[in-house]
Amino acid sequence: MRHIKLCLLLLLGTIVSLPAQQPKKLNSSEIYEAIQKLNVLGSVLYIAAHPDDENTRLISYMSNHVKARTAYLSLTRGDGGQNLIGPEIRELLGVIRTQELLAARRVDGGEQRFTRANDFGYSKHPDETLEIWNKDDVLSDVVWAIREFKPDIIINRFDHRRAGQTHGHHTSSAMLSMEAFDLANDPTKYTSQLERTETWQPKRLFYNTSWWRYGSREAFDKIDKSNMLSFDIGVYYPSKGLSNNEVASLASSQHLCQGFGRLTTRGTQDEYIEFLKGDPLDDSNDVFAGIDTSWNRIKDGQAIGNILNTIESNFNFVNPASHLPQLLEAYKLLLNVKDGHWKIIKTKELKSIIEACAGLYIEVSADTPQASPESTVGLRIEALNRSDAKIDLLSYNLSTLDTGISKNMEMSKNQRLNFDEGINIPKDINYTTPYWLNKKSTLGMYHVDNPEWIGLPETPRAVFVDFNLNIQGTPITITKPVVYRHSKPDKGELYRPFEIVPPVSASLADKVFIFENDQQKDIEVIVRASRDAVEGYVEMAYPNDWSVYPQKQKIEIANKGDIQKLVFTVIPPKNQSEGLITPMVNFNDEFYTDELIAIDYAHIPYQSVLMPSVSKVVRLDIEKRGNNIGYIEGAGDVVPESLRQIGYNVTVIEPEQISAENLVNFDAVVVGIRAYNILDELKFKQKFLLDYVKEGGNMIVQYNTSRRIKTDNIAPYALQLSRDRVTDESADVSILDPNHPLLNFPNKITTQDFEGWVQERGLYFPNQWSEDFTPLLAMNDKGEDSKQGSLLVAKYGKGNYIYTGLSFFREFPAGVSGAYRLFANMLSAGKEDKTTLKN
């Protein structure tokens, strides 16, 4: 797998993008802000459908200005979108977008939640969305989020009244929120949840509206806004040196795989929310009107509030440790509070503040980033008190041990304590992998066995240490996850999460192996050891009509982290066929069939993902002409690798290499998805590409979005892109010109070639074009007009220009035979001979 390293340097005010895994250390201003937040007992839940749907301006405003506990509930993890920074799609893209959301929340101060809904791609109507998602399950998850988070205020990103006018996921998120607002307080609904939580009734529900909902600023200015609240979300935060909209821009810029890196903005900016249901508004323009968000909200909270409000009013920025006696007094009072919900939340916040005021540094670093069950790991524990406070380390408890380790040591000011421990990883411990991927999902839903994990952004860490301290006479336990801290000469200090992985894993070189004839191929299996002294064997599972030899091969890997490569010969059947192959590694009489996938980008923590090591094998009935293909890469697709699978010699052309001299040697030139959206150089290189076609070349342009095109002439003739798409992957396809060479040479294309497509037919089809173009296919979603812009071909000079919005970038990784056959014809355009066509 190819990984692209990204550098995100944000040296503005106190918000700095440190290595994504590095533990947060609060400075005086951040401690003060945390105390301000500690004194607000109000909460806001923002609800939308995908990563990047959230309004970071409003989330930041509620978190940093109002000081409310604020969370974003994204119904999906964004698995169905595109990836602008790398090759990961589907489940792996969902992992990246999950981490980007968490990175955004670290900037804007919010929390993050999810449902089990799987982002299956664009949907045109909520009826379709809720059928594929399984409405009741997703509604149950929204109710669970409300009952768990207990928001006073819910804000929908989208309008529940716009069914069919926008993305079906968007409207569905608002519709589900409207229902869940009432159901969350109904003890007869989703009763199994009440074994772990209780009913809850939010006070108000709003819709986060704006001028774009009404078509223009002028139209919005004319509407009645008496049912709306407005906020100036451009407020300035002196303690940060940033305005709220600057913080929001930095947060949204974490969505790098969606191309959301952007300039920060400043200045006054109004944000509107429309009241939908709940307690009526008053004239205060206060979203929390009539809701007590002070410590008086809970029984016995007034005494705590008196202490903490005094600290806030007289905060010592020079020496925050001077507040420890009062903070500890508030902590002891909080332990006796009966309100379980706020007690848990505020105890966690208060302990973090006490830790920061005392200058406590506690870290547990493993001697390895990964370990497997039944292995031994060394831990380096560092504990440091950097204040004048009297602090004793009484003991610590390792999560893998039944009993604690007694210390009873004074933590003298600025005197570091170091301890070394060895732990044995239990056999039955959970692997560190995204929990929603543990079982095979359906098209619309992820399966989660543990109901308490539903909605969590990540799998809870399995290895941690509880430190039992006595701070100035008050016992406090501080929990730290085990991390892996190391350094590199060219990068400095680095952190990674400590992960539990299987002892062995196996991967295949490709997710699809295409056999263009009945000739055998050698396929490489890579076995990776996650512990020392791995011995066993590998055999393959494969379809009945295929053959693989040898039957099994021995593995011997001496050192952890090493790999062994094995080659199996795969023999396809004589006729067209497809199936799945899986390497099975036998170690200690157990079979391991997962692949360990690393996702490594600079803006998010390192991720290890376990996925079934399964590849598709396809015996394909295919003919092709031409061999040398030039490929101009766009936004992270695997088309070049897929074309190599069927025997093409593919050369990736960098934009600066586009010239008449370099293009002339290619039988065809293919432009990757969204290349005209992201490659500025194409504005200046388009002339060479069109000249290549004019002189007899064959050029294929894959889909681009209809906005922000880098050149005025994407094609040699008039061609207007639109937002037309066909999202039903099984939608009927009509062949408009059955005799056209592109549909007959060298492969006869029929409607059977459009069977088995995945996720969609295509997107961003042109809707207007010059008469020079010939449309070859027609298709449409249910209830819509036929769309004929999915595949257009035009003669230009001596060559052929082809524009396609068909989703080859999704079909190739899925091994869709018809997609390969059609693309081979596109690459062969102009090379047909008259005898072949006549026959």
Side-chain angles (χ1 to χ4, degrees), residues 455-751:
L456 296 181
E458 299 179 283
T459 305
R461 293 289 162 179
V463 185
F464 53 88
V465 181
D466 291 327
F467 290 88
N468 303 308
L469 308 173
N470 188 296
I471 303 178
Q472 297 190 172
T474 302
I476 290 183
T477 297
I478 294 175
T479 302
K480 295 292 180 181
V482 175
V483 297
Y484 175 62
R485 180 167 68 107
H486 63 293
S487 66
K488 291 185 177 180
D490 60 335
K491 296 184 184 297
E493 185 177 62
L494 299 171
Y495 282 81
R496 271 180 58 176
F498 174 69
E499 300 170 320
I500 307 299
V501 298
V504 289
S505 57
S507 60
L508 294 162
D510 294 290
K511 288 303 177 188
V512 177
F513 292 95
I514 303 295
F515 293 74
E516 55 184 308
N517 50 45
D518 62 358
Q519 297 300 303
Q520 67 188 35
K521 283 187 178 182
D522 288 340
I523 291 180
E524 186 176 73
V525 176
I526 302 173
V527 180
R528 182 178 301 276
S530 295
R531 58 177 298 164
D532 294 334
V534 169
E535 293 187 12
Y537 64 88
V538 178
E539 60 182 78
M540 301 288 284
Y542 53 90
N544 290 332
D545 54 343
W546 294 63
S547 298
V548 174
Y549 70 89
Q551 183 177 356
K552 63 175 65 174
Q553 296 190 55
K554 186 177 181 180
I555 55 168
E556 292 184 5
I557 306 177
N559 299 315
K560 175 181 178 178
D562 285 352
I563 64 172
Q564 183 174 342
K565 296 182 178 181
L566 308 171
V567 175
F568 286 86
T569 300
V570 178
I571 305 172
K574 294 292 183 182
N575 300 316
Q576 187 160 311
S577 173
E578 61 183 53
L580 302 174
I581 58 171
T582 297
M584 303 188 300
V585 184
N586 188 287
F587 171 67
N588 285 347
D589 295 325
E590 290 188 36
F591 278 105
Y592 295 87
T593 58
D594 283 339
E595 175 184 5
L596 184 61
I597 303 168
I599 298 178
D600 190 7
Y601 293 100
H603 66 303
I604 59 175
Y606 186 98
Q607 300 292 300
S608 290
V609 183
L610 285 173
M611 296 284 289
S613 184
V614 177
S615 292
K616 190 173 185 180
V617 287
V618 179
R619 163 65 173 97
L620 187 60
D621 180 13
I622 189 172
E623 297 284 342
K624 60 186 192 300
R625 299 292 186 272
N627 182 51
N628 294 319
I629 309 300
Y631 198 92
I632 301 169
E633 291 186 316
D637 63 67
V638 294
V639 172
E641 291 87 344
S642 300
L643 296 181
R644 293 185 184 110
Q645 280 271 358
I646 55 175
Y648 285 105
N649 177 27
V650 182
T651 300
V652 173
I653 307 172
E654 298 298 333
E656 60 271 16
Q657 297 173 333
I658 298 173
S659 66
E661 294 77 16
N662 289 339
L663 297 177
V664 70
N665 296 318
F666 293 114
D667 295 307
V669 171
V670 182
V671 182
I673 62 173
R674 297 176 69 172
Y676 286 97
N677 296 128
I678 66 172
L679 298 179
D680 292 322
E681 298 94 331
L682 289 185
K683 180 177 182 179
F684 310 103
K685 298 292 186 175
Q686 183 72 345
K687 175 184 183 301
F688 297 109
L689 291 168
L690 295 183
D691 284 348
Y692 160 78
V693 178
K694 192 173 184 179
E695 294 302 317
N698 183 20
M699 180 178 174
I700 301 168
V701 178
Q702 298 176 87
Y703 98 91
N704 291 266
T705 63
S706 54
R707 292 180 294 179
R708 290 189 282 272
I709 297 291
K710 301 295 184 180
T711 180
D712 295 331
N713 58 329
I714 195 172
Y717 309 112
L719 182 72
Q720 180 175 303
L721 303 183
S722 74
R723 298 183 66 83
D724 287 351
R725 61 203 303 163
V726 176
T727 61
D728 182 357
E729 63 270 23
S730 60
D732 290 340
V733 176
S734 299
I735 295 178
L736 299 176
D737 188 352
N739 296 319
H740 194 281
L742 198 66
L743 300 176
N744 290 276
F745 178 83
N747 305 287
K748 176 67 175 178
I749 301 300
T750 69
T751 54

Side-chain angles (χ1 to χ4, degrees), residues 57 243-249 262-267 269:
R57 299 183 304 274
S243 63
N244 184 77
N245 35 22
E246 286 178 292
V247 174
S249 295
R262 60 187 56 183
L263 294 172
T264 57
T265 60
R266 286 154 290 279
Q269 185 175 348

Side-chain angles (χ1 to χ4, degrees), residues 210-230:
S210 180
W211 65 264
W212 46 260
R213 165 65 178 83
Y214 297 88
S216 68
R217 295 183 187 276
E218 292 75 15
F220 184 63
D221 290 341
K222 295 176 182 178
I223 68 168
D224 179 9
K225 298 183 180 63
S226 59
N227 206 35
M228 297 182 186
L229 301 181
S230 64

Side-chain angles (χ1 to χ4, degrees), residues 75-80 89-95 115-120 132-133 137-138 141 434-449 454 611:
L75 268 58
T76 76
R77 297 176 186 265
D79 325 66
I89 58 173
R90 289 304 304 152
E91 294 92 349
L92 296 180
L93 179 59
V95 175
T115 74
R116 290 169 291 171
N118 189 347
D119 179 4
F120 56 85
I132 294 175
W133 273 354
D137 284 348
V138 183
D141 291 356
Y435 68 86
W436 61 95
L437 300 180
N438 283 338
K439 288 193 173 181
K440 185 176 178 59
S441 66
T442 65
L443 175 63
M445 295 295 295
Y446 283 115
H447 181 86
V448 180
D449 281 333
I454 292 174
M611 296 284 289

Side-chain angles (χ1 to χ4, degrees), residues 817-837:
S817 301
Y820 279 95
R821 285 164 45 84
L822 177 56
F823 211 91
N825 279 21
M826 292 158 59
L827 292 171
S828 304
K831 299 175 179 61
E832 61 272 5
D833 56 75
K834 294 181 180 180
T835 302
T836 303
L837 288 180

